Short mmCIF file of all heavy atoms in Angstrom, two decimals:
data_model
loop_
_atom_site.label_atom_id
_atom_site.label_comp_id
_atom_site.label_asym_id
_atom_site.label_seq_id
_atom_site.Cartn_x
_atom_site.Cartn_y
_atom_site.Cartn_z
N MET A 1 84.36 -16.95 65.74
CA MET A 1 84.68 -16.72 64.32
C MET A 1 85.38 -17.95 63.73
O MET A 1 86.20 -18.55 64.40
CB MET A 1 85.57 -15.48 64.21
CG MET A 1 85.68 -14.98 62.78
SD MET A 1 86.48 -13.37 62.69
CE MET A 1 85.27 -12.33 63.48
N ASN A 6 88.70 -17.36 57.57
CA ASN A 6 89.56 -16.18 57.59
C ASN A 6 91.03 -16.42 57.33
O ASN A 6 91.75 -15.47 57.04
CB ASN A 6 89.40 -15.48 58.94
CG ASN A 6 88.00 -14.93 59.06
OD1 ASN A 6 87.55 -14.24 58.15
ND2 ASN A 6 87.31 -15.26 60.11
N VAL A 14 97.24 -24.00 62.31
CA VAL A 14 95.82 -23.69 62.03
C VAL A 14 94.99 -24.97 62.18
O VAL A 14 93.89 -24.95 62.74
CB VAL A 14 95.67 -23.10 60.60
CG1 VAL A 14 94.21 -23.07 60.17
CG2 VAL A 14 96.27 -21.71 60.54
N LYS A 19 90.99 -28.23 65.23
CA LYS A 19 90.59 -29.37 66.07
C LYS A 19 90.15 -28.86 67.45
O LYS A 19 89.11 -29.27 67.97
CB LYS A 19 91.74 -30.36 66.23
CG LYS A 19 91.46 -31.37 67.37
CD LYS A 19 92.09 -32.69 67.20
CE LYS A 19 91.68 -33.62 68.35
NZ LYS A 19 91.73 -35.01 68.03
N GLY A 22 86.81 -27.47 67.39
CA GLY A 22 85.74 -28.33 66.87
C GLY A 22 85.33 -28.00 65.44
O GLY A 22 84.21 -28.33 65.02
N LYS A 24 85.71 -28.77 61.54
CA LYS A 24 86.16 -29.91 60.73
C LYS A 24 87.17 -29.47 59.67
O LYS A 24 87.05 -28.38 59.09
CB LYS A 24 84.97 -30.56 60.05
CG LYS A 24 83.96 -31.17 61.03
CD LYS A 24 84.31 -32.59 61.39
CE LYS A 24 83.16 -33.23 62.18
NZ LYS A 24 83.45 -34.60 62.58
N SER A 26 88.91 -30.05 55.99
CA SER A 26 88.63 -30.67 54.68
C SER A 26 89.94 -30.94 53.96
O SER A 26 90.84 -30.09 53.93
CB SER A 26 87.75 -29.74 53.83
OG SER A 26 88.40 -28.50 53.64
N SER A 34 96.29 -27.85 37.32
CA SER A 34 94.95 -27.33 37.00
C SER A 34 93.92 -27.74 38.04
O SER A 34 93.09 -26.93 38.48
CB SER A 34 94.50 -27.80 35.61
OG SER A 34 95.44 -27.43 34.66
N ASP A 40 92.04 -25.50 45.48
CA ASP A 40 92.50 -24.46 46.39
C ASP A 40 91.55 -23.26 46.35
O ASP A 40 91.21 -22.69 47.39
CB ASP A 40 93.92 -24.04 46.01
CG ASP A 40 94.54 -23.10 47.02
OD1 ASP A 40 94.59 -23.47 48.22
OD2 ASP A 40 94.98 -22.00 46.65
N ASP A 45 91.20 -27.08 52.99
CA ASP A 45 92.22 -26.80 54.01
C ASP A 45 93.56 -27.48 53.67
O ASP A 45 94.61 -26.88 53.86
CB ASP A 45 91.73 -27.29 55.38
CG ASP A 45 90.48 -26.53 55.81
OD1 ASP A 45 90.48 -25.30 55.69
OD2 ASP A 45 89.50 -27.18 56.24
N ASN A 55 97.89 -44.98 41.24
CA ASN A 55 96.69 -45.61 40.68
C ASN A 55 96.01 -44.66 39.68
O ASN A 55 95.86 -45.01 38.51
CB ASN A 55 95.67 -45.93 41.79
CG ASN A 55 96.27 -46.68 42.96
OD1 ASN A 55 96.43 -46.13 44.03
ND2 ASN A 55 96.59 -47.94 42.75
N MET A 71 106.75 -38.49 42.55
CA MET A 71 106.00 -37.77 43.59
C MET A 71 106.42 -36.30 43.63
O MET A 71 105.59 -35.41 43.81
CB MET A 71 106.22 -38.43 44.96
CG MET A 71 105.48 -39.74 45.16
SD MET A 71 103.68 -39.63 44.90
CE MET A 71 103.19 -38.52 46.20
N ARG A 84 96.44 -21.10 49.31
CA ARG A 84 95.94 -21.15 50.69
C ARG A 84 96.17 -22.48 51.40
O ARG A 84 96.51 -22.51 52.58
CB ARG A 84 94.43 -20.84 50.69
CG ARG A 84 93.82 -20.88 52.07
CD ARG A 84 92.33 -20.61 52.03
NE ARG A 84 91.77 -20.67 53.37
CZ ARG A 84 91.37 -21.79 53.94
NH1 ARG A 84 91.49 -22.95 53.32
NH2 ARG A 84 90.87 -21.77 55.16
N PRO A 92 106.79 -42.03 49.03
CA PRO A 92 106.45 -43.30 48.37
C PRO A 92 107.10 -44.50 49.03
O PRO A 92 108.10 -44.39 49.75
CB PRO A 92 106.97 -43.10 46.95
CG PRO A 92 107.96 -42.01 47.02
CD PRO A 92 107.63 -41.15 48.20
N SER A 105 116.67 -38.24 54.12
CA SER A 105 117.12 -37.66 52.84
C SER A 105 115.97 -37.66 51.82
O SER A 105 115.87 -36.73 51.01
CB SER A 105 118.40 -38.33 52.32
OG SER A 105 118.09 -39.57 51.78
N ILE A 108 113.80 -34.66 52.80
CA ILE A 108 114.47 -33.40 52.43
C ILE A 108 114.34 -33.16 50.93
O ILE A 108 114.05 -32.04 50.49
CB ILE A 108 115.95 -33.42 52.88
CG1 ILE A 108 116.02 -33.27 54.40
CG2 ILE A 108 116.75 -32.31 52.20
CD1 ILE A 108 117.42 -33.36 54.99
N PRO A 149 97.76 -48.52 52.27
CA PRO A 149 97.83 -49.23 50.99
C PRO A 149 99.22 -49.73 50.60
O PRO A 149 99.33 -50.68 49.81
CB PRO A 149 97.31 -48.20 49.99
CG PRO A 149 96.47 -47.28 50.80
CD PRO A 149 97.13 -47.20 52.14
N GLU A 167 94.14 -55.78 67.03
CA GLU A 167 94.58 -54.81 66.01
C GLU A 167 94.10 -53.40 66.37
O GLU A 167 94.82 -52.42 66.16
CB GLU A 167 94.06 -55.22 64.62
CG GLU A 167 94.80 -54.48 63.50
CD GLU A 167 94.33 -54.87 62.09
OE1 GLU A 167 93.84 -56.01 61.90
OE2 GLU A 167 94.45 -54.02 61.19
N ILE A 186 97.08 -37.21 61.85
CA ILE A 186 97.11 -38.63 61.43
C ILE A 186 95.92 -38.91 60.52
O ILE A 186 94.79 -38.50 60.84
CB ILE A 186 97.03 -39.58 62.66
CG1 ILE A 186 98.18 -39.33 63.65
CG2 ILE A 186 97.03 -41.05 62.21
CD1 ILE A 186 98.02 -40.08 64.98
N GLU A 202 91.16 -39.52 72.12
CA GLU A 202 92.28 -39.83 73.00
C GLU A 202 93.60 -39.19 72.57
O GLU A 202 94.55 -39.18 73.34
CB GLU A 202 92.44 -41.35 73.14
CG GLU A 202 91.28 -41.96 73.91
CD GLU A 202 91.47 -43.43 74.24
OE1 GLU A 202 92.60 -43.95 74.10
OE2 GLU A 202 90.47 -44.06 74.61
N GLY A 209 89.89 -38.68 58.59
CA GLY A 209 89.41 -40.01 58.24
C GLY A 209 89.13 -40.18 56.77
O GLY A 209 88.78 -39.23 56.04
N ASN A 214 82.29 -40.42 61.09
CA ASN A 214 82.14 -38.97 61.25
C ASN A 214 82.62 -38.45 62.60
O ASN A 214 82.49 -37.27 62.88
CB ASN A 214 80.66 -38.60 61.03
CG ASN A 214 80.50 -37.17 60.61
OD1 ASN A 214 81.49 -36.49 60.31
ND2 ASN A 214 79.27 -36.69 60.60
N ASP A 225 87.96 -39.92 42.69
CA ASP A 225 86.85 -40.76 43.17
C ASP A 225 85.62 -39.91 43.47
O ASP A 225 84.50 -40.25 43.08
CB ASP A 225 87.27 -41.53 44.44
CG ASP A 225 88.42 -42.49 44.17
OD1 ASP A 225 88.65 -42.83 43.00
OD2 ASP A 225 89.08 -42.89 45.15
N GLY A 250 80.59 -38.27 27.29
CA GLY A 250 79.64 -37.58 26.40
C GLY A 250 80.33 -36.49 25.60
O GLY A 250 80.12 -36.35 24.39
#
Side-chain angles (χ1 to χ4, degrees):
M1 194 170 292
N6 294 309
V14 168
K19 166 151 183 154
K24 297 272 189 181
S26 60
S34 303
D40 188 55
D45 297 314
N55 310 108
M71 285 304 296
R84 179 182 179 274
S105 76
I108 287 176
E167 196 179 333
I186 302 171
E202 292 187 14
N214 204 9
D225 297 341

